[in-house]
Amino acid sequence: MDNLDAFAVVVEQKSLNRASSVLNISQPALSRKIMKLEEELGVRLFERKGKRLELTRPGQICYESAIEMRRLHREMLQTLDQYRSGRESISLTIGASLTTLQSTLPDLITFYTQDFPHTDIKALTGKTHEIVTLVMEQKVDIGLVASQTESPGLISLPLFDDHLYLVLPSGHPYLRMKSITMKEIHDLPMILFSKGTWYRVMMDELFHHYAVFPNVKMEIDSFEAIIRLVSTIKVATLLPKSYLHRQLLENNDLTVRSIPELEEKKRTTSLLFTTDAAEDPVVRTFIDIAREFFAQGGAKPANYE
């Protein structure tokens, strides 16, 4: 079971180096686990193509079985934990920045509750530094933020990378352009995130780097409000890829355009938790499910690239 779980983490991290960091073991020790598993099963699980590891067909079958075994193991542990503690329900408190609460948390919770529908989930919102404090002070079980944070006693587990896209309402003149670069953003009427939010910090860094400054009509810290106003007053905005699902775009008659310079600037969404919190079976289960969810692609955004 230990070697099988290590194999699953390698698949999810797509790298022996990253997987060894997640598992907190050396890369040679992890390689030995994979080799031993291959010997036990009598098949090759990976093929190396350049610097990339690719699953073989037997490896894919093995990974699917590993995921199912994880799920059954988690259910058993949580059931036993409830029995030992006499709890009638499972509870989990999540701290999330507003952007991740709106863009990432709903799909993740939906995926989690498929296996654990009776979990009592609470959420507290705040800016990233506030979420870090809540996690450190154990006022929340786990944090979800659009950044990577280093702090003693705090584990930051990267889930996925995200970057910004230009979002345009129907009828916008930029829709007629074959390609758009950062210079076209200069003086462009836009609605942007409020100053101080992580995505706005990223935007301002890009604006200063390329010496372009849009005509900012409004500054708002809500995804939903930005989407509604972009459609209503017919101005542009910048939004992260993770939020831009097909149905959202279609319902609001919006179009997404790629800007090469925006793709170069990425932000990593991460789970934050303390080493003590990770010992709790409920928290450990949520961490494992989150890792699996985003390793499998998470909620698929619109196909606009």
Side-chain angles (χ1 to χ4, degrees):
M1 180 68 182
D2 182 51
N3 290 342
L4 188 62
D5 187 60
F7 159 73
V9 174
V10 174
V11 174
E12 291 158 2
Q13 296 298 315
K14 301 180 178 65
S15 160
L16 283 169
N17 185 45
R18 289 195 297 269
S20 64
S21 178
V22 169
L23 293 167
N24 197 29
I25 61 174
S26 68
Q27 187 169 324
L30 179 57
S31 296
R32 288 193 294 271
K33 284 179 177 288
I34 301 302
M35 291 175 62
K36 185 175 180 180
L37 182 61
E38 289 181 324
E39 290 173 3
E40 291 172 352
L41 299 175
V43 294
R44 291 188 63 185
L45 300 173
F46 291 107
E47 288 182 354
R48 185 175 290 278
K49 296 192 175 180
K51 295 183 179 181
R52 294 186 295 111
L53 289 176
E54 289 192 2
L55 273 180
T56 61
R57 177 54 186 158
Q60 181 63 43
I61 294 170
C62 186
Y63 177 65
E64 291 169 1
S65 298
I67 295 301
E68 180 62 16
M69 291 174 68
R70 271 185 184 173
R71 185 185 66 79
L72 293 172
H73 186 63
R74 287 195 299 259
E75 288 183 356
M76 179 193 72
L77 291 178
Q78 287 206 352
T79 301
L80 292 176
D81 185 57
Q82 287 177 263
Y83 179 80
R84 286 192 300 266
S85 63
R87 291 183 296 180
E88 294 183 358
S89 63
I90 300 169
S91 64
L92 184 71
T93 303
I94 303 171
S97 58
L98 185 59
T99 51
T100 54
L101 179 71
Q102 295 173 319
S103 64
T104 305
L105 194 57
D107 292 324
L108 177 55
I109 288 179
T110 298
F111 186 74
Y112 172 83
T113 54
Q114 289 175 359
D115 288 338
F116 302 101
H118 303 298
T119 304
D120 180 19
I121 298 178
K122 301 180 179 66
L124 297 177
T125 62
K127 295 186 183 301
T128 295
H129 71 275
E130 295 170 333
I131 300 303
V132 170
T133 300
L134 289 173
V135 174
M136 294 295 292
E137 294 178 353
Q138 298 184 347
K139 293 179 179 177
V140 298
D141 298 307
I142 199 163
L144 182 65
V145 296
S147 68
Q148 287 185 282
T149 302
E150 293 185 7
S151 184
L154 187 69
I155 299 172
S156 179
L157 177 67
L159 295 175
F160 65 91
D161 290 332
D162 209 359
H163 59 82
L164 295 165
Y165 278 86
L166 181 67
V167 181
L168 302 169
S170 62
H172 196 283
Y174 275 31
L175 292 174
R176 297 192 294 270
M177 299 171 64
K178 291 184 177 180
S179 63
I180 303 173
T181 63
M182 282 296 291
K183 68 179 182 180
E184 272 87 38
I185 288 182
H186 185 72
D187 211 30
L188 178 67
M190 300 185 79
I191 297 174
L192 299 180
F193 283 113
S194 300
K195 286 188 176 295
T197 58
W198 274 110
Y199 283 111
R200 180 58 185 273
V201 170
M202 184 162 66
M203 291 174 198
D204 287 342
E205 289 174 354
L206 283 162
F207 297 152
H208 283 282
H209 179 76
Y210 291 100
V212 297
F213 302 97
N215 178 5
V216 182
K217 297 295 185 180
M218 297 183 188
E219 297 176 313
I220 304 171
D221 61 3
S222 166
F223 279 114
E224 284 84 354
I226 291 174
I227 287 291
R228 288 197 298 270
L229 287 167
V230 163
S231 299
T232 301
I233 64 177
K234 302 296 184 181
V235 295
T237 190
L238 296 175
L239 290 175
K241 180 180 179 180
S242 59
Y243 186 68
L244 299 172
H245 301 291
R246 182 180 299 280
Q247 186 175 1
L248 177 77
L249 297 174
E250 291 177 350
N251 289 347
N252 292 277
D253 203 11
L254 300 173
T255 300
V256 171
R257 296 294 301 272
S258 173
I259 298 179
E261 295 93 333
L262 292 180
E263 297 185 22
E264 296 173 3
K265 188 76 171 179
K266 299 182 185 296
R267 185 162 298 286
T268 301
T269 292
S270 307
L271 281 183
L272 306 179
F273 50 93
T274 63
T275 52
D276 289 341
E279 297 298 319
D280 185 296
V282 176
V283 175
R284 187 75 251 171
T285 294
F286 187 85
I287 293 168
D288 290 341
I289 287 178
R291 195 174 62 195
E292 289 174 15
F293 178 61
F294 291 106
Q296 295 168 18
K300 300 294 185 183
N303 183 22
Y304 40 71
E305 293 186 88

